Amino acid sequence: MAEITAGMVKELREKTDAPMMECKKALTEAGGDLAKAEEILRVKLGNKATKAATRIAAEGVVGMYLSADGKLGAVAEVNSETDFVAKNDEFIALAKGCAELVATRNPADVAALSALPMGAGTVESTRAALVGKIGENMTIRRFVRIEAKGRLSSYVHGGSKIGVLVDVTGGDETLGKDIAMHIAASKPKALDSSGVPAELLDTERRIAIEKARESGKPEAMLEKIAEGTVQKYLKDVTLLGQVFVKAEDGKQTIEQLLKAKGATVNGFTLYIVGEGLEKKVNDFAAEVAAQAAAAKK
């Protein structure tokens, strides 16, 4: 049997916000497999065990570029160590400049983007100079470039913490902006069910079956219950299946809205600053104790 260490328990607790003893039990049952333990906690505790899915784990901003005709756009994420630096005008200008270069020069990757001209030097020399000036590390994490089939609409939210580009054919400018805002608010994982990874559906199905089994449902009903759960999950995580955030009746889905407007969404990009990154957490009390011990020596 795998040894369940305090570090493993701590990591699972930070990911799920579940009680420590529940984390230890789940890890023991899962044989030390962190992902499996998280599934076990979701079965037992429901969505209270999914804090990590929505937690923003790093600082920085999303830079956005959109051409005047709405046919070309780009989003670039540039990270910093603190939110204070993320509000710095020069740092924000770096992110916006990166997005414009992505759109107009079409670099293959971050290394190619870093080598492009910016100001009196390159993107990399500009970044390095800003690091030297402010005294905090900064990294260009990722970017995407979009050539629209229809017309691009953009939305930036939360001090440039969330950035959206959506490609819409038909409708008007207001519709595009409304859908971009909806994406920022509701954070769909895909346009429709075909874009949702099979492993996510398998996970939801397994969890639904185990929850139903634990609640005493007959074995013959488990698959039907699981399928209902998966279909509800798809409505929650696909753009077309979600209820429009501005729906007056609280029921109209994005798919229904588009049909009423004679429009189609060809695709979208959603960037959330720090998504998937681990944020450094400082233990102030421990730092003070360490400094005091060092001073005594």
Side-chain angles (χ1 to χ4, degrees):
M1 180 180 292
E3 181 185 1
I4 308 304
T5 66
M8 293 165 66
V9 174
K10 179 175 181 290
E11 184 177 357
L12 183 59
R13 176 170 166 74
E14 288 176 349
K15 287 192 71 179
T16 64
D17 211 24
M20 190 172 295
M21 288 308 297
E22 292 293 338
C23 290
K24 187 173 182 180
K25 289 178 185 177
L27 281 164
T28 301
E29 185 177 338
D33 186 319
L34 190 66
K36 181 62 178 175
E38 189 172 349
E39 272 192 34
I40 291 169
L41 286 175
R42 284 191 59 192
V43 170
K44 293 181 178 179
L45 305 177
N47 287 335
K48 289 187 290 185
T50 58
K51 186 179 74 168
T54 56
R55 185 176 61 206
I56 304 303
E59 305 300 341
V61 295
V62 169
M64 183 80 69
Y65 174 85
L66 186 60
S67 65
D69 61 4
K71 288 294 185 180
L72 180 64
V75 186
E77 179 183 348
V78 182
N79 295 126
S80 61
E81 292 182 49
T82 65
D83 187 52
F84 177 77
V85 169
K87 295 174 181 176
N88 177 278
D89 288 342
E90 290 179 272
F91 179 78
I92 294 171
L94 171 64
K96 289 181 177 179
C98 285
E100 183 173 356
L101 284 171
V102 167
T104 57
R105 299 292 296 273
N106 195 19
D109 50 29
V110 171
L113 171 61
S114 298
L116 291 176
M118 177 178 278
T122 63
V123 171
E124 174 55 25
S125 66
T126 301
R127 184 201 68 84
L130 198 53
V131 169
K133 179 178 179 180
I134 296 177
E136 182 172 311
N137 191 29
M138 303 164 197
T139 58
I140 300 167
R141 182 188 179 199
R142 55 179 176 163
F143 61 79
V144 66
R145 180 179 184 272
I146 301 173
E147 295 183 20
K149 294 180 180 178
R151 180 183 174 88
L152 291 172
S153 292
S154 64
Y155 185 77
V156 178
H157 180 73
S160 297
K161 298 296 184 186
I162 299 175
V164 176
L165 278 176
V166 59
D167 181 0
V168 181
T169 297
D172 55 20
E173 188 174 345
T174 298
L175 176 66
K177 288 187 176 298
D178 279 348
I179 293 176
M181 181 192 68
H182 170 94
I183 293 168
S186 299
K187 301 175 181 61
K189 295 182 182 297
L191 176 62
D192 55 31
S193 59
S194 67
V196 179
E199 56 267 27
L200 290 182
L201 300 183
D202 290 341
T203 297
E204 294 301 316
R205 186 173 282 106
R206 283 198 307 271
I207 290 170
I209 288 174
E210 289 305 315
K211 288 180 75 171
R213 185 175 283 136
E214 287 197 0
S215 68
K217 300 294 184 190
E219 286 291 322
M221 291 180 60
L222 297 185
E223 286 296 335
K224 186 175 181 180
I225 291 171
E227 184 57 30
T229 299
V230 167
Q231 291 305 314
K232 183 180 183 302
Y233 173 76
L234 286 171
K235 288 181 180 179
D236 290 339
V237 303
T238 58
L239 176 61
L240 297 183
Q242 289 177 340
V243 174
F244 179 38
V245 291
K246 293 174 68 175
E248 293 181 1
D249 62 358
K251 297 179 181 179
Q252 185 184 39
T253 65
I254 292 294
E255 186 172 26
Q256 291 167 341
L257 171 67
L258 290 167
K259 186 175 181 180
K261 300 288 186 179
T264 304
V265 171
N266 302 305
F268 69 88
T269 293
L270 167 66
Y271 268 18
I272 303 173
V273 168
E275 187 176 36
L277 294 177
E278 190 62 35
K279 186 175 182 179
K280 182 180 178 181
V281 178
N282 293 317
D283 187 336
F284 182 71
E287 287 183 9
V288 171
Q291 290 175 6
K296 287 181 180 179
K297 292 180 180 180

